[in-house]
Amino acid sequence: MKQSKSLLSLLSNNEVRGYVFQAVALCAIVFMAYVAIDNLFINIEARSIHTGFSFLKNRAGFDISEFLIDYTPEHSNLRVFYVGLLNTIVVAIVGIFFATIIGLLIGIARLSNNYLISKLAGGYIELFRNIPVLLQILFWYNISLIIFPHPRKSFEFFDAIFINKRGFYFPKPIAEDGFLWVVVALVVAIVSVIAMKRYFKKKHEKTGTYTSTFLYSALLVIGLPAFVYFIIGSPLHLDYPALKGFNFKGGMVFSPEFTALAFALSVYTATYIAEAIRSGIEAVDKGQKEAAAAIGLTPVQSLKLVVMPQALRVAIPPTINQYLNLTKNSSLATAIGYPELMSAFGGTVLNQVGQAVEILGMTMLVYLAISLTISLVLNIVNKKMSIKGR
Amino acid sequence: MAIYELNAPKKVPITQIGAIRWLRHNLFSSWINAALTILAIYMLYIVIPPLLDWMIISANFKFGTVDLFGYSIEFSEAMATNNDCGRSAACWPYIYEKIYMFTYGFYPREESWRPDAVFWLTLGAFIVIKLIKNYKHKNIVFLAITIMYPIVSFILISGGSFGLVHVETHQWGGLMLTLVIASVGILVSFPIGILLALGRQSNLKVINFLSTIFIEFIRAVPLITILFMASFVLPLFFTESMDFDKLLRALIGIALFQAAYFAEVVRGGLQAIPKGQYEAADAVGLNYVKKNVLIILPQALKISIPNLVGSSISLFKDTTLVLIIGLMDMLAMVNMTSNDPYWLGRETEGFVFVTMVMWVLLYSMSRYSRKLEYRFNTEHTN
């Protein structure tokens, strides 16, 4: 009797109750997981679905329209995974690039003194951020299929760029033997620019005389590779697209799917980046600008040395988050059939093989890895950007 | 003594008053500004006139005779056909004929009063909640509404009892389905989100770990992978006898997805509560549940309201994704209706129409959320 009473009173101890509660919760979850996985195996057997990852070695047997690494239907499903992953990365990089540029422009335009420009930028933001991105992707894709002509009647620009229903055709630069030297020259130029900047910064800190390095840097970065390029004898030629039969051959092709996806993603994400940039600039106290002017900085110096560093601290974290969102949204390509990871691997391979657990698990893990990488970058940036107390 | 007369005041120069002053200040204050203004006008000139032409001026509005609230308005003698419209401008009769599909999908026409009733019920519930703000027993009424509303709505839309014909979920569609998914998603995920947020704030290591893993995992992957999981893998977790329909699977996926996002929003609110509140609640001897329900959550949720609304708006945008797993929401109706041989090739009109509806809904929601943010923002800003 006494024993049970002391056991009961143990339950009113906060710490003990915590352990009991956690143990119960853990048991419940383990039990649920056990039942679910048990059912999973029963169901998989009943539906005679294969298990394991041997399907990755099997012949894929379907065509993919766009690939960076060699691909034919004879390749394995694992190859499809790589092709899809690379396509995801390509569309994410292109989308991030354009979203950043559009976002920067719109964000700055939003704060312009010019009434019309500022209202236009505001209109852009309100218009595109309030339309679901999937709707935008489908819209641009369908529009591009309707308004662009057949290959025979392509829109032409300088006999080099062609636009039609099948995609955007650009001349493809093909490197010849000596091109590596041009790349080397570019690297040398960039390294020397960094060294020069360091030197002049040190000089500035020591003596207080400021030297603008912009002109020299521009000359070095553009001039040196160009010089090497011409000395070696233009080791680069362009492969022009040309109409052969019903379609264009050669050159670089951006399919309508890719273009619509990249366009919609960058236009949509740009609205968020623009808002991030705007709030960053607005977050800088007015007094900062006034103080910069008071100690005699020019407007450009004030922007570069006082406003921007503070604005970026506010603007960069949400912008990086938007990069992550853009990458995740690229999975919407499933709706228009651009063969990125989710569409080629999580869609087509899943339909053929039927091993949903393995395939979706792999796909989710990839996105998880991308997210973790981006949040790692974000953490590093945050640490670097945080105000350093002295 | 000389008398000096004041000169009559000069008129303000015409460049410094009215519209001209405004123009000079806002549009032509410098050469760069003037160039930008001209660029902006040029961009508007490229976009707006063709758009207006396509949508209104050259567009076809021959709806035939339209019955509007008992009045019949005659737009034209007969409704235009696909061929009458031509390809150079919008063909709105197509939207007019398919408006039922865009709103209700394949919901039986004679039963369409039921979703309508739910719509009016929703409005009514909101009005009642607004009206009873100062009523003594408002909590009871509020609780009754929160419990009764989903049940009544479900019975109305799904049917199968009270003499209502059962309408299967694959017949649900259009805007109605979009709203059903969004509202069910929000209502179901909200309590789960609160629990997850509390779990992530908890000192209990196991609970904390599990909640954190769940939240971070869900937030790291795209919704579409979760929807695929819900539609392909989820049924495998249950015994054969439990048959999920497609809509239910999508709803489970969306609710779990949204719960993780709500959890992060609520956690933000929880972190903003001063530590003293927790300690005070402990000091007066409240247990964990009472402490959270009576002291912490009311404050935390109030802080998070603007972000909760923002997160709900994102969910509303994301509901369009269900078309990829084969549900017939409003966006899916575009392809559905333009595959009709009679109206072949009218996707553009469909997309523009859906865009307009979605935009109006989302824009008003985002205005509302900004109003809330403004109302709850009591900080002084410079």
Side-chain angles (χ1 to χ4, degrees), chain A residues 15 18-19 21-23 25-26, chain B residues 198-213:
Chain A
E15 220 167 286
Y19 281 121
F21 183 60
Q22 291 190 78
L26 198 62
Chain B
L198 288 174
R200 200 173 178 178
Q201 288 294 91
S202 157
N203 295 326
L204 307 177
K205 289 248 167 55
V206 176
I207 306 290
N208 186 321
F209 179 74
L210 290 174
S211 319
T212 311
I213 289 281

Coordinates of all heavy atoms in Angstrom, one line a residue, chain A residues 15 18-19 21-23 25-26, chain B residues 198-213:
Chain A
E15 N 10.1 16.0 -13.3 CA 11.1 15.4 -14.1 C 10.7 14.0 -14.5 O 10.8 13.6 -15.6 CB 12.4 15.4 -13.3 CG 13.6 15.7 -14.1 CD 14.8 15.9 -13.2 OE1 14.9 17.0 -12.6 OE2 15.6 15.0 -13.1
G18 N 8.1 13.9 -17.0 CA 8.7 14.2 -18.3 C 9.2 12.9 -19.0 O 8.9 12.6 -20.1
Y19 N 10.0 12.2 -18.2 CA 10.5 10.9 -18.7 C 9.4 10.0 -19.2 O 9.5 9.4 -20.2 CB 11.5 10.3 -17.7 CG 12.8 10.9 -17.7 CD1 13.3 11.5 -16.5 CD2 13.6 11.0 -18.8 CE1 14.5 12.1 -16.5 CE2 14.8 11.6 -18.8 CZ 15.3 12.2 -17.6 OH 16.5 12.8 -17.6
F21 N 6.4 10.6 -20.0 CA 5.7 11.1 -21.1 C 6.5 10.9 -22.4 O 5.9 10.4 -23.4 CB 5.4 12.6 -21.0 CG 4.6 13.3 -22.1 CD1 3.4 12.8 -22.4 CD2 5.2 14.3 -22.8 CE1 2.7 13.4 -23.4 CE2 4.5 14.8 -23.9 CZ 3.2 14.4 -24.2
Q22 N 7.8 11.1 -22.3 CA 8.6 10.9 -23.5 C 8.6 9.4 -23.9 O 8.6 9.1 -25.1 CB 10.0 11.4 -23.2 CG 10.1 12.9 -23.1 CD 11.5 13.4 -23.1 OE1 12.2 13.4 -24.1 NE2 12.0 13.7 -21.9
A23 N 8.7 8.6 -22.9 CA 8.8 7.2 -23.1 C 7.5 6.7 -23.8 O 7.5 6.0 -24.8 CB 9.0 6.4 -21.8
A25 N 5.4 8.6 -25.6 CA 5.4 9.2 -26.9 C 6.3 8.3 -27.9 O 5.9 8.0 -29.0 CB 5.8 10.6 -26.9
L26 N 7.5 8.0 -27.4 CA 8.4 7.3 -28.2 C 7.8 5.9 -28.6 O 7.9 5.5 -29.7 CB 9.7 7.1 -27.5 CG 10.9 6.7 -28.4 CD1 11.2 7.8 -29.4 CD2 12.2 6.5 -27.5
Chain B
L198 N 5.0 23.7 -29.9 CA 5.3 23.5 -28.5 C 6.3 22.4 -28.3 O 7.2 22.5 -27.4 CB 4.0 23.1 -27.8 CG 3.0 24.3 -27.6 CD1 1.7 23.7 -27.0 CD2 3.5 25.3 -26.7
G199 N 6.2 21.4 -29.1 CA 7.2 20.3 -29.1 C 8.6 20.7 -29.3 O 9.5 20.3 -28.6
R200 N 8.7 21.6 -30.3 CA 10.1 22.1 -30.6 C 10.6 23.0 -29.5 O 11.8 23.1 -29.4 CB 10.0 22.8 -31.9 CG 11.4 22.9 -32.5 CD 11.5 23.4 -33.9 NE 12.9 23.5 -34.3 CZ 13.3 23.8 -35.5 NH1 12.5 24.2 -36.4 NH2 14.6 23.8 -35.7
Q201 N 9.7 23.6 -28.7 CA 10.2 24.5 -27.7 C 10.3 23.8 -26.4 O 10.8 24.3 -25.4 CB 9.1 25.6 -27.4 CG 9.1 26.7 -28.5 CD 10.4 27.5 -28.5 OE1 11.3 27.1 -29.3 NE2 10.5 28.6 -27.8
S202 N 9.9 22.5 -26.4 CA 9.9 21.7 -25.1 C 11.3 21.3 -24.6 O 12.2 21.2 -25.4 CB 9.0 20.5 -25.4 OG 9.4 19.5 -24.4
N203 N 11.4 21.2 -23.3 CA 12.6 20.7 -22.7 C 12.8 19.2 -22.8 O 13.9 18.7 -22.6 CB 12.7 21.1 -21.2 CG 12.7 22.6 -21.1 OD1 13.3 23.3 -21.9 ND2 12.1 23.1 -20.0
L204 N 11.7 18.5 -23.1 CA 11.8 17.1 -23.2 C 12.6 16.7 -24.5 O 12.1 17.0 -25.6 CB 10.4 16.5 -23.3 CG 9.5 16.9 -22.1 CD1 8.1 16.3 -22.3 CD2 10.1 16.5 -20.8
K205 N 13.7 16.1 -24.3 CA 14.7 15.9 -25.5 C 14.0 15.1 -26.6 O 14.2 15.5 -27.8 CB 15.9 15.2 -25.0 CG 16.8 16.0 -24.1 CD 18.1 16.4 -24.8 CE 18.8 17.5 -24.0 NZ 19.1 17.2 -22.6
V206 N 13.3 14.0 -26.3 CA 12.8 13.2 -27.3 C 11.8 13.9 -28.1 O 11.8 13.9 -29.4 CB 12.2 11.9 -26.7 CG1 11.5 11.0 -27.8 CG2 13.3 11.1 -26.0
I207 N 10.8 14.6 -27.4 CA 9.8 15.3 -28.1 C 10.4 16.4 -28.9 O 10.0 16.6 -30.1 CB 8.8 16.0 -27.0 CG1 8.3 14.9 -26.1 CG2 7.7 16.7 -27.7 CD1 7.3 14.0 -26.6
N208 N 11.3 17.1 -28.4 CA 12.0 18.2 -29.1 C 12.6 17.7 -30.4 O 12.4 18.2 -31.4 CB 13.0 18.8 -28.1 CG 13.7 20.0 -28.7 OD1 13.9 20.1 -29.9 ND2 13.9 21.0 -27.9
F209 N 13.4 16.6 -30.2 CA 14.1 16.0 -31.4 C 13.1 15.6 -32.5 O 13.2 16.0 -33.6 CB 14.9 14.8 -30.9 CG 15.6 14.1 -32.0 CD1 16.7 14.6 -32.5 CD2 15.2 12.9 -32.5 CE1 17.4 14.0 -33.5 CE2 15.8 12.2 -33.5 CZ 17.0 12.8 -34.0
L210 N 12.0 14.9 -32.1 CA 11.1 14.4 -33.1 C 10.4 15.6 -33.8 O 10.3 15.6 -35.0 CB 10.0 13.5 -32.4 CG 10.5 12.2 -32.0 CD1 9.4 11.4 -31.2 CD2 11.0 11.3 -33.1
S211 N 10.0 16.6 -33.0 CA 9.3 17.7 -33.7 C 10.3 18.4 -34.6 O 9.9 18.8 -35.7 CB 8.8 18.7 -32.6 OG 8.2 18.1 -31.6
T212 N 11.5 18.6 -34.2 CA 12.5 19.4 -35.0 C 12.7 18.6 -36.3 O 12.7 19.2 -37.4 CB 13.8 19.5 -34.2 OG1 13.5 20.0 -32.9 CG2 14.7 20.5 -35.0
I213 N 12.9 17.3 -36.2 CA 13.2 16.5 -37.4 C 12.0 16.6 -38.4 O 12.2 16.9 -39.6 CB 13.4 15.0 -37.0 CG1 14.7 14.8 -36.3 CG2 13.3 14.1 -38.3 CD1 15.9 14.8 -37.2

